[in-house]
């Protein structure tokens, strides 16, 4: 039986998931609908493209590293931004995720067509993602059932994790039971 997918939850790639788009990735679920599918962004894939090169007006608001993140393999020529607000307010140009978990209650998407000045004093952290991860209705549930993904709770710091390259291990390490041991799986299991 597949684990429940929910907005604000994390999808953590199992070590055997070899798809280069998702190998050792941590995906934050932004939308989930049983009939319409699932949309999320990969949190731990910083690119080497600086925000200044693509969206220079937003550079000052981005949480380090100040680069675009590879959000997933779908529509990689478009950008999606996530930002956390310090209070319960909903500033202009920001839309709260419809999530029931406290860990992401202050997280939302940013309208990148809005002037950055209106959000400058309103957001605490922000990252911009090129593309997103998407699954059609039932597709992700099937992949979870096949053991490709673990569904776990997000913590407030996950979206803007200081060292994105170590997020996969960090998320797994904090899980209970046998799942925590998965964090010790070597990058190449044949070298074990």
């Amino acid at each position: 039986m597949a684990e429940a997918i929910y907005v604000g939850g994390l999808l953590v790639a199992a070590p055997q998931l070899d798809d280069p788009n998702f190998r050792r990735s941590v995906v934050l679920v932004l939308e989930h609908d049983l009939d319409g599918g699932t949309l999320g962004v990969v949190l731990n894939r910083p690119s080497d493209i600086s925000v200044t090169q693509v969206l220079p007006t937003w550079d000052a608001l981005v949480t380090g590293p100040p680069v675009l993140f590879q959000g997933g393999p779908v529509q990689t020529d478009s950008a999606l931004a996530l930002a956390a607000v310090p209070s319960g307010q909903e500033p202009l140009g920001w839309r709260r995720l419809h999530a029931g978990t406290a860990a992401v209650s202050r997280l939302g998407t940013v309208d990148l067509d809005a002037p950055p000045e209106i959000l400058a004093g309103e957001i605490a952290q922000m990252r911009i993602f090129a593309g997103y991860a998407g699954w059609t209705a039932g597709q992700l549930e099937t992949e979870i059932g096949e053991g490709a993904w673990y569904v776990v709770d997000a913590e407030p710091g996950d979206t803007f994790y200081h060292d994105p390259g170590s997020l996969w291990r960090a998320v797994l390490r904090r899980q209970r039971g046998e799942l925590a041991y998965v964090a010790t799986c070597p990058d190449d299991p044949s070298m074990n």
Side-chain angles (χ1 to χ4, degrees):
M1 183 178 148
E3 297 175 58
I5 303 161
Y6 58 96
V7 173
L10 296 178
L11 303 170
V12 181
Q16 64 271 23
L17 180 58
D18 242 0
D19 178 336
N21 294 307
F22 296 113
R23 189 171 192 291
R24 300 227 170 186
S25 65
V26 177
V27 177
L28 176 67
V29 176
L30 302 179
E31 295 177 14
H32 177 66
D33 182 315
L34 292 175
D35 299 323
T38 306
L39 180 143
V41 289
V42 177
L43 297 177
N44 59 333
R45 290 267 159 67
S47 74
D48 51 9
I49 301 168
S50 73
V51 170
T52 306
Q53 289 176 266
V54 184
L55 294 162
T57 58
W58 290 99
D59 186 59
L61 298 180
V62 172
T63 302
V67 297
L68 287 180
F69 278 67
Q70 298 168 8
V74 182
Q75 292 188 356
T76 55
D77 59 344
S78 66
L80 183 153
L82 290 177
V85 294
S87 67
Q89 299 297 320
E90 292 200 24
L92 210 57
W94 180 86
R95 186 174 59 92
R96 184 180 308 280
L97 289 184
H98 296 291
T101 62
V104 293
S105 65
R106 295 182 180 193
L107 196 60
T109 56
V110 172
D111 177 359
L112 291 171
D113 291 328
E117 306 80 54
I118 66 169
L119 283 161
E122 304 291 330
I123 61 173
Q125 296 172 299
M126 180 173 145
R127 284 218 169 126
I128 301 176
F129 301 86
Y132 62 89
W135 294 267
T136 57
Q139 181 184 7
L140 182 56
E141 288 84 350
T142 299
E143 291 181 17
I144 292 168
E146 293 169 349
W149 297 98
Y150 306 115
V151 180
V152 302
D153 293 334
E155 288 190 357
D158 292 340
T159 303
F160 308 103
Y161 200 69
H162 66 282
D163 179 14
S166 67
L167 181 62
W168 183 83
R169 278 197 165 85
V171 169
L172 286 170
R173 203 173 287 126
R174 71 177 185 235
Q175 303 307 310
R176 294 185 176 166
E178 292 182 18
L179 193 50
Y181 292 114
V182 176
T184 64
C185 186
D187 286 336
D188 183 357
S190 68
M191 300 301 286
N192 198 2

